[in-house]
Amino acid sequence: MKKGVKYVVRKKGMFWPSQEMKKIANITDSKIYEKAAKNPIKFWENLAREGITWEKEWDKAYVEKLPYFQWFRNGKLNFSVNCLDRHLDHGSRVAMIWVPEPVSEKPVKWTYRELYDKVCRFANVLKSNGIRKGDVVSIYLPMIPEALVAMLACTRIGAIHSVVFSAFSTDALRARIEDGNAKIIITSDGYFRRGKPEFLLKKAVKAAKNTTVEKIIVVDRLGKRVRGKKFLDFYTEVELADSYCEPEIVNSQDTMFILYTSGTTGKPKGIVHDTGGYAVQAYWTSKWNFNLNPGDLMWCTADVGWITGHTYAFYGPLLTGATTLIYEGSPDYPDPGRWWEIIEEHKVNVFYTAPTAIRMFMRVNENWIKKHDLSSIRILGTVGEPIDEESWMWYFEKIGGGRCPIIDTWWQTETGGTLINVLPGIGPFVPTVSGKSFPGVTHRIVDDNGKPVKKGKEGFLVQKSPFAPGMLHGVFNNHKKYVDTYWKKFRKYYDTSDGAFIYKGLIRITGRTDDVMKVAGHRLATAELENAIHSHKKVAECAVVPMPDEIRGQVPVAFVVLKRGGGSERLERKIKKFVDQKIGPTARPHKIYFVGDLPKTRSGKIMRRILKALLVNEEPKGLMTLVNPESVEEIRKTISKYGSKK
Ligand code: PRX
């Protein structure tokens, strides 16, 4: 491995930015935190002016009437103008590099001008198919460049995009189409995954049946031409369309996109993000966390079906005029050297991934990494779940060559952009610790009553007013859910549903405090999975709990009571397949235990806590409250018979 520039130094057992990092960092003065805290609204106003191109300035920077608040009220802008038009003076710069999975296919590079041209044309396609400002467009696409075109085209005309993760099932897609009343779906015939074609179109067609969808626009990725009145071929339409599309100027507070995420109930919620506030936060977090400037190359490995893909694989790099790299395929296909080869070939400067991927690579032969020159990397990022010290150190040494800061970014679908992390030009970089609230944002760690906990004690992580500009602006068509989920418990604080404590003056996240699991960084509600399993005709009752997993962080395990008869391996396989159909393979239970009864309280509440303890071989507490304590022994036996891991 080549040495490369050293961006960190070790001081007092901690890592700090080196002089080289200080020289290149977009922000190095730690006073920024105090300055911002003095008047956060003014601070964000200044950032909004400096970072974003507005058609007209806002009449009021921040309006709050909890549980709702608005940033840059009546400020006028167009999001795609900020990602594209304003970079056209340097239109020959590369905006995007796409690496297809098959090694035989060449990477595709689009300049800002080329991307602009495609976005304008496709925006005209949407318009000519009746899409107007405020309409919802469903996007069911894998990691191909057309996803970027489709999303930006929506923002060009003020339409609301609703991206659905391509590995989600027909049922999951249908639920999201129905909730948003989408008139159009943009999908592809499929994509490549682990060397094989994955077909998407059939799923999309099935999902669209008997819904509001009038047209399906299909990207030809696998060479399958579609025919029929309902279908439009993406490129045929793009070529026919006009190459200029006047940007629709929207209000800052107008909805830009919806993204569904799991809550604690069975139905996913449509998280609503506005335009101006989101743009400001996406821009400045990219600028300060990842130090992005024109000419820099960022690779965020997240899929566009998740918020990380939206903000840092697509929008953040483009807002800052940098270049984004997106990759279609599996991290270890055709071999575990693939990611590192991509970094070497394209000279990636900022690499952003999840602890799950890091833990997976820790288990492969080091030579797959060692043989590649990773000296182009300046900053490493991690997101999605807490990272343990061993994985942090491995990432730091093996990928960063001991040279690069690790920016452990805590945030959520709801927050739109990162909120808690250390800034690369300021430091310190401490394993397992996310860091400080982004300048201009305040978090507190509180007890059940909303009172601050004692220093160093664990509590609930909440955010305080004024709330960050990128924050959600509601749950789509569901005011009650918005209030119940985020504002009921602490009222004046936004409830993150995460636990945290202060360590060395910085925030360390301990994980979810509700019934939400993080499986390989993906968010999954136990209730959603229970609903899916419960709808299987043979299932009488079920409970899903997370089990610790060395690579994926957590995996779901299901305990199932059948209506009749005993379970079998065949039925276990069938139920797993059933979950694939209902939600998608990311939700597939790792193991299903068939049991006679589930531990319940007198009021009928299933004690998941007991199941969790049994899974990790701990003695469960509080058995006295159960109506059926004998169920515990039976479950213990079942677990030991089949083993807690498969
Ligand atoms: O529990 C926290 C965890 O991921 C949750 C949000 O999940 P999602 O909406 O899917 O967004 C993930 C990517 C932004 C949080 O409530 N989480 C996210 N980042 C971190 C984290 N936990 C620990 N450390 C992080 N850096």
Side-chain angles (χ1 to χ4, degrees), residues 6 40 70 109 131 181 360 458 464 477 485 601 631 639 644:
K6 220 165 157 49
Q70 286 178 348
K109 290 186 187 181
I131 300 298
N181 283 328
M360 185 191 103
E458 187 176 346
K464 182 181 161 298
N477 286 337
T485 315
T601 61
S631 63
I639 293 175
S644 56

Side-chain angles (χ1 to χ4, degrees), residues 505-523:
L506 302 169
I507 300 173
R508 179 171 171 168
I509 309 291
T510 51
R512 301 287 300 195
T513 55
D514 57 2
D515 284 327
V516 168
M517 287 177 267
K518 294 294 300 198
V519 181
H522 297 156
R523 189 159 153 182

Side-chain angles (χ1 to χ4, degrees), residues 427-598:
F429 316 109
V430 185
T432 75
V433 173
S434 285
K436 286 190 184 171
S437 305
F438 198 81
V441 184
T442 312
H443 288 93
R444 294 246 188 283
I445 299 175
V446 299
D447 64 16
D448 250 325
N449 304 313
K451 297 260 170 327
V453 294
K454 285 215 177 85
K455 244 193 177 159
K457 284 262 172 309
E458 187 176 346
F460 299 96
L461 180 73
V462 296
Q463 195 191 143
K464 182 181 161 298
S465 166
F467 300 96
M471 292 293 291
L472 80 164
H473 289 272
V475 171
F476 196 66
N477 286 337
N478 204 334
H479 168 75
K480 187 173 179 308
K481 208 164 200 177
Y482 175 64
V483 176
D484 287 353
T485 315
Y486 307 108
W487 304 98
K488 208 168 177 179
K489 192 167 165 125
F490 300 110
R491 290 178 190 272
K492 60 177 182 170
Y493 295 139
Y494 164 82
D495 180 3
T496 68
S497 298
D498 270 310
F501 64 90
I502 299 290
Y503 176 73
K504 298 193 180 181
L506 302 169
I507 300 173
R508 179 171 171 168
I509 309 291
T510 51
R512 301 287 300 195
T513 55
D514 57 2
D515 284 327
V516 168
M517 287 177 267
K518 294 294 300 198
V519 181
H522 297 156
R523 189 159 153 182
L524 190 66
T526 47
E528 198 179 338
L529 194 39
E530 284 171 5
N531 269 6
I533 296 175
H534 201 220
S535 62
H536 188 278
K537 60 180 191 296
K538 293 203 166 156
V539 174
E541 253 185 328
C542 89
V544 172
V545 288
M547 184 174 82
D549 181 85
E550 275 185 8
I551 293 182
R552 285 176 287 177
Q554 294 183 319
V555 288
V557 170
F559 292 86
V560 167
V561 180
L562 294 172
K563 284 181 182 153
R564 232 171 295 120
S568 63
E569 275 187 20
R570 193 156 159 257
L571 184 58
E572 181 176 350
R573 275 198 305 275
K574 274 193 171 167
I575 296 179
K576 284 182 178 173
K577 222 163 164 201
F578 188 70
V579 171
D580 287 0
Q581 278 164 18
K582 289 270 159 197
I583 308 177
T586 41
R588 188 185 303 160
H590 178 74
K591 172 81 194 142
I592 296 174
Y593 293 111
F594 295 102
V595 294
D597 206 358
L598 294 168

Side-chain angles (χ1 to χ4, degrees), residues 309-368:
H310 279 55
T311 309
Y312 299 106
F314 283 9
Y315 291 145
L318 296 183
L319 285 168
T320 55
T323 307
T324 183
L325 186 145
I326 60 177
Y327 171 53
E328 178 183 37
S330 266
D332 55 349
Y333 188 84
D335 58 54
R338 188 69 198 272
W339 269 17
W340 322 113
E341 191 180 288
I342 294 174
I343 292 180
E344 176 174 10
E345 181 180 340
H346 297 281
K347 301 197 168 40
V348 170
N349 304 122
V350 180
F351 182 65
Y352 190 32
T353 195
T356 293
I358 298 167
R359 290 191 294 262
M360 185 191 103
F361 280 109
M362 283 166 76
R363 280 157 183 82
V364 308
N365 189 324
E366 233 177 74
N367 288 330
W368 286 112

Side-chain angles (χ1 to χ4, degrees), residues 307-308 383-386 408-414 434 498 509 512 518 523:
I307 190 71
T308 314
V383 60
E385 34 175 334
D408 177 353
T409 58
W410 175 91
W411 59 299
Q412 308 176 302
T413 307
E414 289 87 343
S434 285
D498 270 310
I509 309 291
R512 301 287 300 195
K518 294 294 300 198
R523 189 159 153 182

